[in-house]
């Protein structure tokens, strides 16, 4: 619910970041439900703004002051912050979250988002494709999953597969939905450009001068 609220606010040109402060999130003495709600709202807003270092620091501060272990979704957001910075320790946090998250779709989306953003992660594209094959995500009708899969396929040089994925993503958008349409069209342009560059790249030559 909090992720949806943060996204709806952002799509309308607003943000929880303008209404809440880090002090509201880290305040002590709140009941557990209120504390978790404020954290999820604020951290989700940071996620959608790609403010990974700030998100990382705030979760680490929460972990120091929380009266109980952080919930699975908050730890998923922490993994996102690390993955989005291509920090390898984010992969370990992701694996810990996956062991607990099961098929919770929103949690898996947070991790998928982090893998998509972390362009320099070791085998990041392959990990993204593996995560996208989980039953909760592999519906074939989620435009965001298909969009992130297309980006991973582009990074792996599988351009035609990527174009198929992004075309399905565009086709799956609700009529009139403009919230991510530009991102999907941009990914399609990147795929076409990368494919064309690859097809027109001159062949490399071996030390004997023979094209490889």
């Amino acid at each position: 619910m909090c992720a949806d609220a943060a996204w709806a606010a952002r799509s309308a040109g607003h943000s929880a970041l303008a209404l809440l402060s880090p002090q509201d999130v880290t305040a002590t003495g709140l009941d557990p439900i209120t504390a978790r709600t404020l954290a999820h709202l604020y951290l989700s807003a940071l996620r959608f703004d790609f403010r990974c270092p700030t998100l990382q620091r705030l979760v680490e501060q929460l972990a120091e002051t929380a009266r109980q272990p952080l919930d699975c979704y908050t730890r998923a957001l922490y993994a996102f912050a690390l993955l989005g910075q291509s920090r390898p320790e984010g992969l370990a946090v992701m694996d810990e979250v996956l062991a607990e998250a099961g098929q919770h779709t929103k949690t898996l989306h947070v991790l998928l988002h982090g893998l998509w953003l972390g362009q320099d992660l070791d085998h990041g594209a392959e990990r993204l494709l593996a995560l996208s094959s989980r039953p909760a995500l592999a519906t074939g009708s989620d435009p965001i999953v298909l969009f992130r899969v297309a980006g991973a396929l582009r990074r792996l040089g599988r351009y035609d597969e990527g174009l198929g994925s992004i075309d399905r993503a565009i086709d799956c958008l609700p009529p009139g939905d403009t919230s991510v349409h530009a991102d999907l069209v941009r990914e399609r342009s990147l795929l076409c450009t990368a494919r064309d560059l690859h097809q027109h790249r001159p062949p490399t030559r071996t030390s004997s001068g023979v094209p490889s």
Side-chain angles (χ1 to χ4, degrees):
M1 181 191 72
C2 291
D4 289 340
W7 178 255
R10 188 177 188 277
S11 299
H14 304 291
S15 175
L17 303 181
L19 301 174
L20 299 172
S21 70
Q23 290 72 31
D24 293 320
V25 177
T26 58
T28 58
L30 299 173
D31 68 88
I33 294 177
T34 299
R36 184 174 295 185
T37 300
L38 292 175
H40 286 184
L41 278 171
Y42 198 85
L43 296 175
S44 293
L46 290 174
R47 169 198 166 196
F48 292 135
D49 277 1
F50 300 135
R51 301 189 186 193
C52 294
T54 301
L55 201 165
Q56 176 194 343
R57 288 193 297 269
L58 188 53
V59 175
E60 289 172 350
Q61 187 176 351
L62 275 174
E64 292 177 358
T65 59
R67 291 176 294 177
Q68 54 190 3
L70 297 178
D71 62 279
C72 185
Y73 192 74
T74 298
R75 287 186 283 116
L77 288 163
Y78 183 56
F80 162 82
L82 297 173
L83 294 170
Q85 299 174 79
S86 294
R87 297 185 58 167
E89 58 265 40
L91 297 171
V93 178
M94 180 184 75
D95 289 341
E96 293 173 1
V97 171
L98 285 173
E100 183 178 339
Q103 297 300 320
H104 187 260
T105 306
K106 291 295 178 64
T107 301
L108 299 181
H109 262 288
V110 172
L111 300 175
L112 197 73
H113 193 184
L115 290 172
W116 172 82
L117 188 60
Q119 295 287 311
D120 297 323
L121 289 166
D122 186 32
H123 298 295
E126 293 89 344
R127 292 174 187 269
L128 190 155
L129 294 178
L131 180 56
S132 71
S133 68
R134 291 202 168 208
L137 299 180
T139 64
S141 60
D142 187 324
I144 301 302
V145 174
L146 293 167
F147 164 59
R148 303 211 190 286
V149 166
L153 292 170
R154 172 172 51 81
R155 288 155 61 185
L156 293 172
R158 295 161 58 181
Y159 307 118
D160 289 336
E161 292 177 71
L163 285 168
S165 182
I166 202 66
D167 284 344
R168 290 195 301 276
I170 293 171
D171 199 47
C172 287
L173 284 175
D177 187 335
T178 60
S179 59
V180 295
H181 187 270
D183 292 329
L184 271 60
V185 172
R186 189 179 303 113
E187 177 59 47
R188 196 181 195 286
S189 297
L190 288 172
L191 277 158
C192 289
T193 300
R195 182 190 61 181
D196 292 346
L197 288 172
H198 178 77
Q199 290 175 345
H200 293 92
R201 184 177 61 188
T204 57
R205 294 182 177 273
T206 65
S207 58
S208 63
V210 178
S212 60

